[in-house]
Amino acid sequence: MKDEIKKFWRGDIDDADETLTKYSHDASLFEIRPEIVLYPKDAKDIENLVLWAKEKKEENKQGHENLSITVRSAGTCMSGGAINDSIILDVTKYFNKIGRVVRVTPYKILPKFPGAKEVEIAGEVTVQPGVFYRDFEKETFMYDLLLPSYTASKSINTVGGMAGNNSAGELTLKYGQTCDYIKEMKVIFADGHEYTVKALNRKELYKKIAQPDFEGQVYKKLFDLINENETIIKTAKPRVSKNSSGYFLWNVITRGKTESEDIFDLCQLIVGSQGTLGIVTEITYRLVENITHSKLVTVFLKDLTNLGKVVDEILEFSPTSVESYDDKTFDLAMKFFPDLVKAKGFWQTIKFGISFLPEMWMVLTGGVPKLILLVELTGSDDKTLVKKCKELEQKIAHFGFVTRTIEKQKEAEKYWTMRRDSFALLRKHVEGRRTAPFIDDIIVRPEFLPEFLPKLTKILNEYSSLIYTIAGHAGNGNFHIIPLMDFNDKESAHIVLELSQKVYDLVISYDGSITGEHNDGLIRTPFLTKLYGEQIVELFKKTKDMFDPLNIFNPKKKVGAVFSDIEKYIIKPQNVHELPKISHNS
């Protein structure tokens, strides 16, 4: 393979044993060793690679039956979406250019979730997929602009990975997911050519469909598939505020008042597809005004009885985010407090510790709260925000929960530190175990949480070997549970499959989704029939086939994976020590 690729490749090639071992893992619980790792120099490299793979697959050349290409950037995917047994295409080395950030005449968009309010777009920027978000954010901040779908792992993930997974984070409650901020893409399809993908009106769409080429066929087949199955496709969309499971067929066509006002946006299918439909080489993102003023209201819940109701009343104040973490997380922060503050210096540590005195007194007098809500309100000035926070506290006072308005940003940081860093603490202080993301991203509507969370906890507690915390985006009903497991135990793979079945049955019974923002990858693709039913999964297969008839792009993700694949590729006990240290915060 290497010698053949060298004939047309201008980028770097690496098949050293150390490299292949490194790329056998992402942040998931899987291990799949590739044959070779490629670092493309430019889009032409990728076009040539796809053309070569197409030729080999069409000729069914011996030794190339399982030939495939998986695009990888930071490798932070927790679903196994960035690994395979053939070619890994790492875009971080050369596809890392940021175009000029521009301010635009403000215009409105409506995020694609129930009850969304319009968001004002203030800027745009074109960027390559290998750019790390931390570098991207520095650039946009120079113009007081922000991509609001950033994740908690924004210091280590890339903007390409965000598009591949349809990522989201703390600001999703107000701003929506990555799919809402993609204006345009450049994508290399399975015919080996790069195309510009963007929203089209009816006239533009019919012009595309009339093209006698691969691109024209893709548009025609997809348009027909959605039109012919529009009712069941719309019905299939999970009834939650965010979702990254399946192909987003329901988002491609936006119906206008008349047919001529319909919009067909292929970007809405490419986003969240985990590189299974084509290879993205460029993304134009929409940006919003950066958040300059924010205040935090903390709500300490003794029990979950009124959780859904209190969240509903909080949402009336249009918070930017409503985050949460459980009593185990709080206990963890107190138990390993020195680690939580070790980078702050002596006096900062003292101040940080003193800032926890109100919480410590609360615990001594009333016990550890069952759940802590972090409600962030944003606006144009501090005075107005503080007033709004006090109004929120008064509004929910009848529930009898302890609440606090945190006016100083320094004090607010302690809560965000607990929310973001507690699980890393847990992992550090438990020997012989590693993170096992497999039920890490479930979501139900917030009104179901008082019933749902106790049932979820009961299922988890059936497995005494699991160590876990629950944290997440309470305003969305999106929770992250990443147990620590001992993969030297031969029962681990069995537990992963059995517990997944139980948890997903519970989630689906409440009309939820098995992944709000982390995507399907290898760990959840076998469960898509359970979530969507056979008819919709068959439409997913047809979608994959029209874009990628030879199955070149990232196989076994979205379609094609079976339960035995999970057992086959789960990390082997003898290799647990080899896993890289990757942050799993969400």
Side-chain angles (χ1 to χ4, degrees), residues 186-235:
K186 285 187 179 178
V187 186
I188 294 173
F189 287 155
D191 64 341
H193 296 295
E194 183 182 60
Y195 298 97
T196 296
V197 175
K198 60 182 180 179
L200 305 175
N201 59 35
R202 278 278 179 165
K203 185 177 180 180
E204 292 167 330
L205 174 62
Y206 289 150
K207 187 176 179 180
K208 284 283 187 188
I209 289 173
Q211 292 175 190
D213 57 10
F214 183 85
E215 183 190 28
Q217 283 298 304
V218 164
Y219 275 91
K220 182 181 187 307
K221 290 177 181 178
L222 183 64
F223 179 67
D224 289 345
L225 181 140
I226 294 174
N227 264 342
E228 291 166 8
N229 301 279
E230 187 165 17
T231 300
I232 63 167
I233 287 172
K234 292 292 186 184
T235 304

Side-chain angles (χ1 to χ4, degrees), residues 290-358:
N290 192 18
I291 296 168
T292 54
H293 297 271
S294 69
K295 298 298 174 189
L296 188 68
V297 177
T298 54
V299 185
F300 303 92
L301 280 70
K302 292 181 180 180
D303 57 61
L304 304 178
T305 306
N306 290 308
L307 176 59
K309 292 179 181 177
V310 73
V311 169
D312 280 345
E313 292 193 15
I314 289 170
L315 293 179
E316 292 176 17
F317 289 78
S318 300
T320 300
S321 63
V322 182
E323 298 294 288
S324 65
Y325 52 84
D326 64 355
D327 49 356
K328 292 182 181 180
T329 305
F330 188 88
D331 284 339
L332 207 59
M334 296 299 100
K335 185 176 181 180
F336 302 122
F337 183 79
D339 279 2
L340 203 66
V341 299
K342 67 180 181 179
K344 294 183 177 294
F346 178 76
W347 288 113
Q348 287 297 320
T349 297
I350 296 298
K351 291 178 181 178
F352 195 71
I354 291 173
S355 73
F356 272 98
L357 290 177

